[in-house]
Amino acid sequence: MRSKHEKPGESAFYPWLLLAYPPAHDLVEGPVPQTGPATLCLAAFVVLYTLSVALSFRDRHRAAAASLAALVAVTFLLLTRFAEGWFPLATLMTIACGAVIRGRAVYTVLTALTAALVLLMWRTGAGGENISMTVWGAATGGLVVSVVLKLFSVIAELRETREELARAAVAEERLRFSRDLHDLLGHTLSVMVVKAEAVRRLAPRDAEAAARQAADIETVGRRALTEVRATVTGYRGRGLAAELASARTALAEAGIAVTVSVPESRMAPEADALLGWAVREGVTNVIRHSGARACAIRLDGAILEIHDDGRGPGGSGDGNGLRGLAERAVALGGTLETSAADGFLLRVTIP
């Protein structure tokens, strides 16, 4: 819905009634034939002009069109029956047309009215200069009003579109943020659960080893807190090297044999963060869902593969983590592929 302040209000059209001053002056000062009917017609003209504009801005289009038709009839009655100096009323008539008629129809109507004005003025013996000025004023008045109102309408639509896009961007960012937290906390909590199980197993027979595992849980928890804070401020990932180190530890402690084949290389920060997220998400799925005994992580050029011999994510589908990872890959111009043949394979390709 358009706001009142997004286009000129009807009050902007009423000062143009000053164009009716010459006819009013003639009625008071000059000899005008049939002064009574002329006065009534001029009063009707003013009322119909005001009514056409007011109804148009109140979105009562049918009533406004009927009022405009009556205004056109009264205008030509005035111009055919009274003084030649009253032709400025034609400009008021076309201004009302520009306010009432919408779309391409306004050009057809203005062309017809302009042609009728030329014919009428030529028949009354008006000079070429008067005809040119009147036609110019009438045609320009209607066109300018129509174009300005259309322009303000388009501006209002663009503003609404921009606001809608802003709302969509906020919603998308909230979704991205929630998936980031899911990825981050899912991985961290998986590691903490594995270490807690190790503490439970070691506590009866090796208190010192259990204490070390408990200390690791504290370290992981503190690191998770730091990472959550970093995520809130726009953090995207710790990078491939850090995630590989964490993956080795987490997989080993979960009793899963891990093979890492990742050459040392420098890459763009965005790509490094994406591959880090891929390792985090892939290893989290291996630990939590796969039941795997072995996992291989391999980087070949622009392709990262995480392959295990387990059953994959299971019946839950890709889940929020893989969906979020796929969105990040697409945003960077890459792809995410998964395969459940011969274990579970996660492949991320970056440009």
Side-chain angles (χ1 to χ4, degrees):
M1 181 179 294
R2 287 192 293 267
S3 170
K4 293 180 180 179
H5 303 292
E6 290 177 345
K7 62 181 179 180
E10 62 184 84
S11 59
F13 289 81
Y14 298 143
W16 291 104
L17 283 170
L18 290 173
L19 291 174
Y21 173 77
H25 182 270
D26 289 347
L27 286 173
V28 175
E29 301 292 341
V32 177
Q34 301 178 354
T35 303
T39 302
L40 289 176
C41 285
L42 185 60
F45 176 92
V46 173
V47 171
L48 289 170
Y49 172 86
T50 304
L51 191 60
S52 298
V53 171
L55 291 173
S56 174
F57 278 86
R58 286 166 173 76
D59 292 328
R60 297 177 59 183
H61 301 300
R62 289 188 176 181
S67 179
L68 178 63
L71 175 65
V72 171
V74 170
T75 302
F76 278 94
L77 177 63
L78 284 167
L79 297 181
T80 55
R81 297 292 300 273
F82 303 105
E84 181 180 331
W86 291 21
F87 277 103
L89 295 177
T91 301
L92 274 173
M93 174 187 67
T94 56
I95 288 175
C97 287
V100 172
I101 303 175
R102 306 299 167 88
R104 295 184 178 181
V106 68
Y107 306 119
T108 302
V109 172
L110 289 175
T111 300
L113 291 177
T114 301
L117 281 172
V118 171
L119 179 61
L120 176 60
M121 295 185 72
W122 177 72
R123 291 186 60 184
T124 58
E129 184 177 352
N130 286 337
I131 292 176
S132 299
M133 292 179 61
T134 300
V135 169
W136 172 258
T140 303
L143 284 174
V144 167
V145 168
S146 177
V147 169
V148 168
L149 290 180
K150 178 63 177 177
L151 178 61
F152 273 87
S153 177
V154 171
I155 290 173
E157 292 175 3
L158 289 175
R159 184 175 297 140
E160 291 174 1
T161 301
R162 182 181 63 188
E163 292 172 355
E164 183 62 30
L165 289 174
R167 287 192 291 269
V170 170
E172 181 65 24
E173 181 63 16
R174 287 173 177 169
L175 180 60
R176 181 208 63 77
F177 179 72
S178 67
R179 286 174 176 167
D180 283 357
L181 285 181
H182 170 273
D183 296 348
L184 176 66
L185 295 179
H187 172 80
T188 301
L189 292 176
S190 296
V191 173
M192 294 177 72
V193 168
V194 170
K195 288 184 175 292
E197 291 176 348
V199 170
R200 179 174 53 80
R201 291 194 304 267
L202 293 171
R205 61 179 187 273
D206 191 343
E208 185 177 349
R212 287 197 299 269
Q213 292 292 337
D216 287 345
I217 293 175
E218 180 182 1
T219 301
V220 170
R222 292 182 182 278
R223 187 174 64 209
L225 180 60
T226 301
E227 291 176 349
V228 168
R229 287 171 177 167
T231 299
V232 172
T233 59
Y235 173 79
R236 294 286 179 168
R238 295 187 300 159
L240 180 59
E243 293 297 346
L244 284 173
S246 178
R248 285 190 179 95
T249 302
L251 289 168
E253 291 176 348
I256 301 173
V258 57
T259 302
V260 178
S261 177
V262 177
E264 292 186 5
S265 61
R266 296 177 61 86
M267 60 184 69
E270 296 84 358
D272 186 58
L274 174 62
L275 294 181
W277 276 116
V279 170
R280 175 191 292 270
E281 180 59 30
V283 170
T284 298
N285 284 333
V286 171
I287 294 173
R288 295 174 63 183
H289 305 300
S290 71
R293 292 172 297 175
C295 175
I297 303 173
R298 184 169 69 94
L299 178 64
D300 183 8
I303 301 175
L304 173 73
E305 292 184 347
I306 302 174
H307 186 213
D308 65 69
D309 60 356
R311 59 180 177 271
S316 61
D318 286 350
N320 287 331
L322 290 182
R323 281 199 296 270
L325 181 59
E327 290 177 359
R328 292 188 192 94
V330 170
L332 195 61
T335 59
L336 170 68
E337 302 172 66
T338 59
S339 172
D342 190 23
F344 188 76
L345 171 67
L346 183 149
R347 178 185 293 116
V348 175
T349 304
I350 60 174

